[in-house]
Amino acid sequence: MPDSSALADPRRWRTVDILTCAVLAVAFGVVFWAWGFVWNGLDPVLAFYPPLKSILNGVWLIPAVLAPLIVRRAGAGLLTEALAATVSAFLGSFWGVAVILQGLLQGLGGELAFAATRYRRFGTLVALAGGALAAVALAWFDVRNYYPDSDLWAFKVPYFALAMASGALVAGLGSQALVKAMLPTGVLDRFPSGRERQRV
């Protein structure tokens, strides 16, 4: 059985928590790098309505929600998202080292949802909020740095709205679905999230 005292305190990090966040970060860093090719490849397809590209953003936000759902430690989303962005930068991201700062902001955005519950709630609403808030950080960075002269109502508002929808659905519900899929395998038994399986 996992150490119940370790599970009870979200501030208390264990070696397995750190290693898990690191492994997730490396895996998603590769995903981020590859997703950049998808993003750029779909430019011609979505050119008829440029803000629509924002629906692709959810993939870049998954670690910000998935890590807190698994390890349930304060800062897990921030750490994992930032590390994943760093890995993608080293692999040769289209946006260079700027993605590291963006990863920090996205991780912080996702972290806010879990921090608001004092790391005591990890249900659907919190996951949705985490994905949406991470998307707000992403969209703010994009609009400020890549689309500063774009029209507020024609581009910026729909870009934010579509990013938040993508973050909530892909990063929020998607991360929750990944955790639920892993529960029966037993790989999460050493984590607070594994208690759902242990109660069955």
Side-chain angles (χ1 to χ4, degrees), residues 152-178:
L152 175 64
W153 295 104
F155 184 91
K156 292 179 181 177
V157 169
Y159 192 87
F160 267 87
L162 290 169
M164 292 176 68
S166 180
L169 295 175
V170 177
L173 293 185
S175 294
Q176 194 175 56
L178 285 172

Side-chain angles (χ1 to χ4, degrees), residues 5-6 8 56 64-65 68 75 78 84 86 88 90 92 94 100 105 121 124 157 159 164-165 185 196 199:
S5 63
L56 304 175
V65 181
L78 175 60
T86 302
S88 73
F90 279 117
F94 287 104
I100 299 175
L105 293 172
R121 300 286 183 271
T124 301
V157 169
Y159 192 87
M164 292 176 68
T185 70
E196 281 85 349
R199 291 195 190 105

Side-chain angles (χ1 to χ4, degrees), residues 50-62:
L52 198 57
K53 285 189 71 174
S54 196
I55 64 171
L56 304 175
N57 284 330
V59 172
W60 279 308
L61 306 173
I62 293 174

Side-chain angles (χ1 to χ4, degrees), residues 76-94:
L78 175 60
L79 171 66
T80 309
E81 184 77 19
L83 284 178
T86 302
V87 170
S88 73
F90 279 117
L91 290 175
S93 167
F94 287 104

Side-chain angles (χ1 to χ4, degrees), residues 24-43:
L24 287 173
V26 171
F28 277 97
V30 175
V31 171
F32 287 1
W33 169 78
W35 196 245
F37 290 95
V38 176
W39 172 274
N40 284 301
L42 287 175
D43 257 337

Side-chain angles (χ1 to χ4, degrees), residues 74-157:
L78 175 60
L79 171 66
T80 309
E81 184 77 19
L83 284 178
T86 302
V87 170
S88 73
F90 279 117
L91 290 175
S93 167
F94 287 104
W95 301 276
V97 296
V99 298
I100 299 175
L101 175 57
Q102 191 161 18
L104 283 167
L105 293 172
Q106 291 164 187
L108 179 61
E111 198 77 33
L112 290 176
F114 298 95
T117 73
R118 299 177 67 182
Y119 299 93
R120 293 178 179 175
R121 300 286 183 271
F122 299 90
T124 301
L125 290 179
V126 178
L128 286 169
L133 289 173
V136 169
L138 179 152
W140 175 82
F141 187 93
D142 280 359
V143 166
R144 181 179 183 276
N145 292 281
Y146 304 123
Y147 313 109
D149 300 321
S150 59
D151 183 84
L152 175 64
W153 295 104
F155 184 91
K156 292 179 181 177
V157 169

